[in-house]
Amino acid sequence: MGTPIKDVVLRPDAPKTLLLDKHADYIAAYGSKKDDYEYALSEYLRMSGIYWGLTVMDLMGQLHRMNKDEIIEFVRSCQHECGGISASLGHDPHLLYTLSAVQILTLYDSVSVLDIDRVVEYVKSLQQDDGSFTGDKWGEIDTRFSFCAVATLALLGKLEEINLNKAVEFVLSCMNFDGGFGCRPGSESHAGQIYCCTGFLSITGNLHQVNADLLGWWLCERQLPSGGLNGRPEKLPDVCYSWWVLASLKIIGRIHWIDKSKLRTFILACQDEETGGFADRPGDMVDPFHTLFGVAGLSLLGDEQIKAVNPVLCMPEDVLQRIGLRPEIAS
């Protein structure tokens, strides 16, 4: 007898239609409850939380319900002297939140409120001799930060400001025998890192360096009998991998290799019919993170109630068209 596959069982009465209005109400209410324990607890990633909320509202055609002026002022106030941007006031700057901030301001066509030259200098200062990037001054190296660096600079039209050849060399050194990528050379393949590395190679025009068939096979094997996707072997499915895995497959031109209908059924089953929002798995607590990636995953699957999402930057395609940014996607 083999080891049983880790998976979830979808209830027969799980939601089967997209509850778009409830999700919009859930996100609109989330940021207004500033006294909530849950809101206070998430201060350390506030900038990314705002990005998740705004992006999913834009994909649902509801961005007008968010407080534009308050958000733009908050982002502006989180830029530090060094040029980097923090998760919230009083926190240290980090590449993750710098990218989230630039994405937020791009949605609102307002990046000019930042000192852009300083943002560029901050990103440049984090590149190491081997081409890798640290996330902040404390020195952790991870391919996520390589993606954050090039995504931030691409949105600002400043990609040429770093040593791109060395940056590409480092990311390619993190490619594994299974076609996937890890956070550093020799680290195991993981769907989140694969998304970051394929996105990085797309932005820098190096998708031809990926073995799309080998990587596509690894990514397809993430689909479980429930239809959901996991991040690596032997793990439970999670709605967020409906984004990391699916976007990676879209970037390398292999999205047709998975069962789209079963994945859609899994994603819809993760909705909360009472409160709105998506959870990681059916029956769990909803949050803005999984709500964005559930909706964005459905967009990649072709749901016409949702705006088209860009698989590289997880932003509405119409926003990127407005600024003239078109990352490479395999056909």
Side-chain angles (χ1 to χ4, degrees):
M1 291 287 287
T3 307
I5 295 172
K6 288 186 178 177
D7 200 2
V8 297
V9 177
L10 305 185
R11 295 192 338 263
D13 61 343
K16 293 178 176 60
T17 57
L18 179 58
L19 311 170
L20 218 51
D21 291 343
K22 290 211 168 188
H23 302 321
D25 290 345
Y26 164 70
I27 294 292
Y30 188 87
S32 65
K33 299 174 184 172
K34 294 186 171 57
D35 296 329
D36 270 17
Y37 176 70
E38 188 181 357
Y39 186 85
L41 206 62
S42 63
E43 185 185 37
Y44 71 98
L45 46 72
R46 177 72 25 84
M47 192 68 70
S48 291
I50 294 171
Y51 155 71
W52 302 328
L54 291 184
T55 303
V56 74
M57 288 298 262
D58 199 350
L59 289 172
M60 296 188 294
Q62 298 285 327
L63 187 60
H64 61 275
R65 294 179 62 179
M66 308 301 271
N67 191 327
K68 176 180 176 179
D69 293 341
E70 183 183 290
I71 290 166
I72 290 173
E73 177 52 30
F74 171 77
V75 175
R76 189 199 62 75
S77 68
C78 289
Q79 185 172 25
H80 290 244
E81 278 291 307
C82 65
I85 299 162
S86 55
S88 195
L89 293 170
H91 290 242
D92 288 342
H94 196 286
L95 254 181
L96 289 171
Y97 307 119
T98 301
L99 172 58
S100 292
V102 170
Q103 289 174 303
I104 290 164
L105 295 175
T106 302
L107 288 176
Y108 280 134
D109 202 13
S110 299
V111 290
S112 60
V113 304
L114 295 175
D115 186 327
I116 292 172
D117 290 341
R118 284 192 173 179
V119 175
V120 174
E121 285 305 312
Y122 177 69
V123 175
K124 284 173 66 174
S125 74
L126 297 174
Q127 188 171 27
Q128 307 301 299
D129 291 342
D130 65 355
S132 66
F133 284 83
T134 60
D136 59 15
K137 65 182 182 181
W138 302 111
E140 181 190 3
I141 288 171
D142 189 308
T143 45
R144 286 183 305 156
F145 308 146
S146 296
F147 172 76
C148 290
V150 299
T152 300
L153 294 178
L155 286 166
L156 297 174
K158 302 284 188 179
L159 198 51
E160 73 288 345
E161 294 285 340
I162 52 167
N163 187 331
L164 272 179
N165 290 335
K166 293 295 283 185
V168 171
E169 268 180 39
F170 175 76
V171 168
L172 291 175
S173 76
C174 299
M175 191 190 293
N176 291 323
F177 70 92
D178 55 17
F181 293 83
C183 55
R184 288 181 291 279
S187 297
E188 72 165 324
S189 296
H190 184 283
Q193 306 296 149
I194 288 168
Y195 165 78
C196 290
C197 293
T198 54
F200 171 97
L201 294 170
S202 165
I203 291 168
T204 60
N206 281 277
L207 269 185
H208 60 280
Q209 307 269 18
V210 173
N211 184 333
D213 284 348
L214 187 61
L215 176 56
W217 182 250
W218 190 94
L219 289 165
C220 288
E221 288 194 314
R222 305 282 58 80
Q223 190 163 34
L224 296 163
S226 66
L229 300 165
N230 63 17
R232 53 200 164 111
E234 302 301 318
K235 297 294 182 181
L236 286 169
D238 185 321
V239 156
C240 71
Y241 293 112
S242 306
W243 176 258
W244 312 121
V245 174
L246 207 58
S248 302
L249 285 167
K250 178 72 173 174
I251 292 167
I252 64 172
R254 300 293 185 277
I255 196 168
H256 55 289
W257 281 15
I258 63 154
D259 188 326
K260 293 183 181 180
S261 175
K262 285 183 76 172
L263 176 56
R264 178 180 167 81
T265 299
F266 173 81
I267 296 173
L268 292 174
C270 296
Q271 300 174 100
D272 188 311
E273 291 173 288
E274 291 180 26
T275 65
F278 285 77
D280 57 349
R281 285 178 278 280
D284 287 357
M285 285 286 290
V286 300
D287 59 67
F289 174 85
H290 289 95
T291 302
L292 167 60
F293 293 125
V295 170
L298 291 170
S299 175
L300 286 180
L301 291 172
D303 194 305
E304 293 181 356
Q305 300 173 79
I306 307 165
K307 279 193 194 180
V309 68
N310 182 271
V312 177
L313 289 158
C314 196
M315 296 173 68
E317 287 282 15
D318 60 355
V319 172
L320 298 186
Q321 285 168 4
R322 188 184 71 221
I323 65 170
L325 181 58
R326 298 200 60 174
E328 181 186 6
I329 305 290
S331 55

